[in-house]
Amino acid sequence: MSMLYEIEGKQLFKDSKIPVPRFKAYTDSDSIKAFAEELNSNVMMAKGQSLSGGRGKAGLIKKVTTDEAEDYIQSILGQYHRGKPIELVMLEEPLEIEKEYYLAVMLDNTSGQYLTLASSRGGVDIEDIAENYPDEIFRKTLPILTEPFPYQFMELGKKLGFVARTLTQFTSLMTNMVNMAIKNDLTLIEINPLILTPDKKIIAADSKVVIDGNAYYRQPKIASLKSQRDRHTDLEYEADEAGISYVQLDGEIGIIAGGAGLSMATCDILEFFGSSPANFLDVGGGAGDIKIEKSLEILSNQDIKGIFINFFAGITRCDDVARGVINATKKYNIDVPVVIRLVGTNDKRGIQILDENGIKAYGEMVPAAKKIVELVKGGN
Amino acid sequence: MAILIDETTKVIVQGITGKQGNFHSKSMIDYGTKIVAGVTPGKGGQETLGIPVFDSMKEAVNDTQALASVIFIPSKFTYSAAMEAIDAGVQLLTIITEGIPVKDTARIRQKAIDNNVILVGPNCPGLITPEASKIGIIPGEICSKGNVGIVSRSGTLTYEIIQNLSMNGLGQSSCVGLGGDPIKGIGFNECLMMFEQDPQTKYIVMVGEIGGTGEQEAANLVKKEITKPVFAFIAGQTAPLGKQMGHAGAIVHGKSGTAKEKMRILAEAGIATAQTPGEIPSLIVNNL
């Protein structure tokens, strides 16, 4: 599940026939001039692109004249917003606002259907609307096995106060939004705000779009967008490329485990015994020796005091794990204590391979966790 | 008795000639599972592990009358394989495959509901009834027969808990791995009800994790309908907010999805929660 930049989402909106303001990616001062000519105006919005919210408050969005644009853009490029530098700025047509709305389509985890949410109190966080005006968020669930039709959104449109031409604009926009989610494997599309202009047009003024990472293989265009690379730290990106779930944390002991639940429990138990995890790392089911080796390579690039490898192998095979560990210790400079717990499918062969290389494997998690904490604490 | 499967359950393996499918079919057969057919399109008429292979689920079901199937097929092809299984009339469908697009899973789930099919998974270890049968990849040797029912959102962490129980003389009636995806087949509540009605089960262990609301819904059910003692472990106590921890389902969205909050809600429903997986057996023993 990962988010797209606003400008990437707006391009998808455009491709899906959802009305958006005219926009352009900033490249240099010529792009500002060209966009001003396109708009036939010397006023435009400059919007710093970030995967985190709160851009407005941080001063990353501003209405500027053609003369001011370049200086403003240079002032926000490289500025850090919630831990990441701004590297991308979009130029956009300013809109006249009569009213603001909130719209969303999501693949709802509870019902397993597409769920649309709409409110005529747009422009503020949906959490705030939910808290202060819970009765003013309208919902419509759409069956997952059929395609959406405009008539299904008629009631929703009327509740929001749309009439006549704006009502049909609304029902076709909602239909296009749900189709966009289906076609692009999106788990969330949020438009906040949707703007009603004085000349009675509805336009998506912002975009928040989240794609299902499991669908990358059939959404190559989205998978290759800048946002999909930027959401990770370098090490996280490297792990992701190798099919490893890795999240950098700030503790002492690097972990490698098989299975998300066990990986989380491995992090937890280190804390329970008085140390802390330096990462979460799940090699996934059926990981071969190459993935294990890659995992150790990733950890060898992190500043850690010890490594705890914890496998209860089901679909993974312990001999593959053992081979990966042995290969990695030969290739990479691993100069911190390593403790391995290995049990499950093919464990006897795995333990034998480790034994032949002078490494002792534990059969249970608690003694192994205690040991690595002891080695890390004692080594200081 | 146990839940969902026993020694008479006939099972078809979809993807039996693949590397994972074949390896785990052998392990299931060794454990005693009645595998009666495999399906790999284009390989009909062959045999593997002494089991006949069919081109389609329809042929396999017609020939064997099996009503359970398990999918070991790459994620790109799972949607079609699952739809085929349901159309062929299976009543228990287990999907081991991980990495399936969530839209595909949502559609499989709906189709299963519409056809009264029990869907287990995806992205799950499957299920086991010790000394009788297993469907999926739970290592049989760590299980022992007994009266603890286990239902879990995790795979390997379930093994951890099973091993701890077995080593402490606490056998299991059945163990069900629900899977770690945000949208999935049956959940805690369906399994809690089955364990409640199963005479062999005396104690129920729930293994949850951060994210989602399954544990909260289970807490409500336990308060109202479950008379047997329930014990729980929740993984992800150290997970930072907003980070996705491997399982697509395991992302903490605000306070309600955290391990601490889930443990609080479970405790409120009278469920004893363990700090580490190793504590579960002593919680049960203290209850005896």
Side-chain angles (χ1 to χ4, degrees):
Chain A
M1 309 286 158
S2 76
M3 216 198 300
L4 273 61
Y5 285 118
E6 177 195 0
I7 187 169
E8 298 166 344
K10 288 223 166 120
Q11 187 58 50
L12 280 180
F13 282 176
K14 213 171 150 180
D15 299 343
S16 310
K17 299 194 165 57
I18 293 168
V20 287
R22 282 178 284 180
F23 65 89
K24 190 184 184 76
Y26 165 85
T27 50
D28 54 22
S29 53
D30 288 345
S31 63
I32 298 171
K33 278 183 213 140
F35 191 61
E37 275 171 32
E38 190 189 326
L39 293 183
N40 196 20
S41 160
N42 69 340
V43 181
M44 63 186 72
M45 302 300 296
K47 301 168 109 177
Q49 300 293 293
S50 168
L51 299 175
S52 301
R55 289 182 297 159
K57 278 181 198 149
L60 297 171
I61 296 177
K62 199 178 174 191
K63 194 185 234 180
V64 289
T65 64
T66 319
D67 295 339
E68 299 163 344
E70 179 70 26
D71 282 351
Y72 169 68
I73 291 168
Q74 289 307 328
S75 79
I76 61 170
L77 276 173
Q79 190 180 316
Y80 271 75
H81 180 56
R82 303 199 178 160
K84 298 254 182 173
I86 302 295
E87 293 173 344
L88 188 63
V89 175
M90 79 184 277
L91 307 171
E92 193 174 69
E93 174 186 13
L95 293 177
E96 280 187 71
I97 300 169
E98 185 169 300
K99 192 165 169 48
E100 293 179 301
Y101 300 85
Y102 171 92
L103 293 183
V105 172
M106 67 182 77
L107 190 43
D108 177 36
N109 291 343
T110 310
S111 67
Q113 321 285 327
Y114 285 104
L115 172 67
T116 58
L117 298 177
S119 175
S120 53
R121 293 190 177 268
V124 293
D125 284 349
I126 184 66
E127 290 83 359
D128 293 340
I129 311 174
E131 197 174 313
N132 298 315
Y133 308 99
D135 299 340
E136 294 184 45
I137 298 176
F138 306 111
R139 293 155 187 266
K140 168 81 186 165
T141 298
L142 295 150
I144 187 86
L145 291 174
T146 54
E147 58 177 305
F149 295 102
Y151 77 85
Q152 293 172 300
F153 304 103
M154 203 60 86
E155 206 184 326
L156 200 60
K158 289 192 174 181
K159 281 182 184 162
L160 295 182
F162 291 118
V163 288
R165 208 161 58 82
T166 57
L167 182 62
T168 54
Q169 280 182 61
F170 173 79
T171 57
S172 71
L173 183 146
M174 288 304 296
T175 311
N176 293 343
M177 235 171 121
V178 176
N179 277 324
M180 171 176 157
I182 296 172
K183 186 178 156 213
N184 297 288
D185 280 296
L186 307 175
T187 52
L188 174 71
I189 306 171
E190 197 177 70
I191 302 177
N192 189 22
L194 176 84
I195 302 271
L196 175 67
T197 63
D199 58 350
K200 305 297 173 201
K201 284 195 176 120
I202 54 173
I203 300 174
D206 197 2
S207 85
K208 184 176 169 188
V209 172
V210 178
I211 180 169
D212 173 8
N214 285 350
Y216 274 169
Y217 73 88
R218 62 188 183 198
Q219 303 294 349
K221 252 171 92 176
I222 299 178
S224 64
L225 291 172
K226 178 172 162 57
S227 56
Q228 302 309 297
R229 199 187 162 89
D230 292 354
R231 70 197 169 103
H232 293 304
T233 65
D234 289 346
L235 283 179
E236 284 174 354
Y237 183 75
E238 211 182 303
D240 197 52
E241 287 282 281
I244 296 164
S245 299
Y246 168 81
V247 179
Q248 232 166 308
L249 304 170
D250 51 11
E252 297 179 317
I253 298 175
I255 71 136
I256 298 174
L262 186 63
S263 302
M264 279 188 267
T266 305
C267 291
D268 294 347
I269 205 160
L270 292 177
E271 200 145 292
F272 189 77
F273 287 126
S275 181
S276 52
N279 65 282
F280 164 94
L281 192 156
D282 166 19
V283 293
D289 50 347
I290 306 289
K291 266 193 181 176
I292 306 294
E293 207 182 302
K294 184 76 196 168
S295 302
L296 276 158
E297 185 193 344
I298 290 166
L299 289 194
S300 71
N301 288 315
Q302 219 187 320
D303 183 22
I304 48 177
K305 293 182 184 161
I307 295 174
F308 182 25
I309 301 173
N310 187 10
F311 278 86
F312 207 129
I315 201 157
T316 305
R317 300 168 202 182
C318 291
D319 49 331
D320 283 343
V321 175
R323 266 190 295 274
V325 171
I326 300 303
N327 291 344
T329 52
K330 286 175 185 156
K331 270 194 208 167
Y332 309 109
N333 178 30
I334 296 168
D335 52 4
V336 294
V338 180
V339 169
I340 304 176
R341 182 282 181 110
L342 203 54
V343 67
T345 308
N346 289 0
D347 53 3
K348 287 194 185 80
R349 266 155 68 193
I351 291 165
Q352 192 191 342
I353 291 168
L354 291 175
D355 198 49
E356 283 162 6
N357 288 273
I359 301 173
K360 179 179 171 258
Y362 285 78
E364 288 169 56
M365 177 161 158
V366 167
K370 274 186 183 158
K371 183 70 188 172
I372 187 66
V373 173
E374 184 192 308
L375 288 171
V376 165
K377 295 291 179 195
N380 281 344
Chain B
M1 278 297 290
I3 70 166
L4 292 167
I5 53 166
D6 59 25
E7 56 280 357
T8 65
T9 310
K10 289 197 253 181
V11 181
I12 300 171
V13 179
Q14 295 178 257
I16 196 167
T17 56
K19 187 183 170 209
Q20 297 293 2
N22 207 256
F23 181 86
H24 289 285
S25 292
K26 182 170 185 313
S27 150
M28 283 188 273
I29 294 166
D30 291 346
Y31 195 70
T33 308
K34 240 174 136 179
I35 293 184
V36 293
V39 170
T40 302
K43 295 197 175 170
Q46 299 182 14
E47 226 181 55
T48 180
L49 309 168
I51 306 291
V53 180
F54 295 84
D55 286 316
S56 72
M57 276 301 288
K58 197 176 170 192
E59 291 165 286
V61 169
N62 285 345
D63 201 78
T64 62
Q65 307 302 311
L67 295 174
S69 93
V70 55
I71 293 182
F72 285 97
I73 284 180
S75 58
K76 290 181 191 183
F77 311 110
T78 300
Y79 177 40
S80 150
M83 289 298 187
E84 188 191 350
I86 298 170
D87 279 336
V90 306
Q91 289 173 359
L92 173 64
L93 174 61
T94 305
I95 305 177
I96 307 301
T97 311
E98 69 177 308
I100 301 171
V102 63
K103 178 178 78 187
D104 295 359
T105 304
R107 288 176 169 172
I108 295 167
R109 172 187 172 275
Q110 190 59 47
K111 173 109 172 167
I113 291 170
D114 292 348
N115 290 276
N116 291 315
V117 173
I118 295 177
L119 172 66
V120 180
N123 188 13
C124 81
L127 51 158
I128 189 165
T129 294
E131 293 178 22
S133 184
K134 74 164 182 169
I135 293 180
I137 59 174
I138 296 176
E141 65 275 14
I142 57 170
C143 300
S144 55
K145 191 174 173 176
N147 55 22
V148 182
I150 301 178
V151 53
S152 170
R153 273 173 71 187
S154 167
T156 47
L157 181 56
T158 318
Y159 313 158
E160 189 68 51
I161 286 172
I162 295 174
Q163 188 196 39
N164 278 315
L165 289 169
S166 292
M167 285 187 331
N168 287 280
L170 295 163
Q172 305 89 41
S173 52
S174 293
C175 312
V176 186
L178 303 172
D181 282 3
I183 295 180
K184 56 178 170 284
I186 57 168
F188 283 122
N189 285 13
E190 288 90 342
C191 293
L192 286 169
M193 286 309 295
M194 285 187 267
F195 281 129
E196 173 72 14
Q197 283 150 18
D198 169 39
Q200 187 186 331
T201 304
K202 296 274 182 284
Y203 304 94
I204 305 169
V205 173
M206 273 176 61
V207 185
E209 57 189 40
I210 53 169
T213 53
E215 292 81 358
Q216 288 87 327
E217 287 150 22
N220 282 334
L221 184 79
V222 168
K223 268 194 253 182
K224 289 182 205 143
E225 317 246 355
I226 306 296
T227 59
K228 296 176 181 176
V230 183
F231 306 87
F233 175 74
I234 306 290
Q237 297 167 50
T238 52
L241 282 178
K243 283 278 191 181
Q244 188 172 320
M245 302 295 255
H247 276 169
I251 180 164
V252 188
H253 280 305
K255 190 180 155 216
S256 68
T258 62
K260 279 203 173 68
E261 181 63 9
K262 285 181 190 243
M263 287 161 79
R264 189 189 67 75
I265 290 168
L266 292 171
E268 225 177 64
I271 299 169
T273 61
Q275 296 289 323
T276 67
E279 260 179 47
I280 298 257
S282 61
L283 288 179
I284 297 180
V285 170
N286 290 341
N287 188 277
L288 285 175

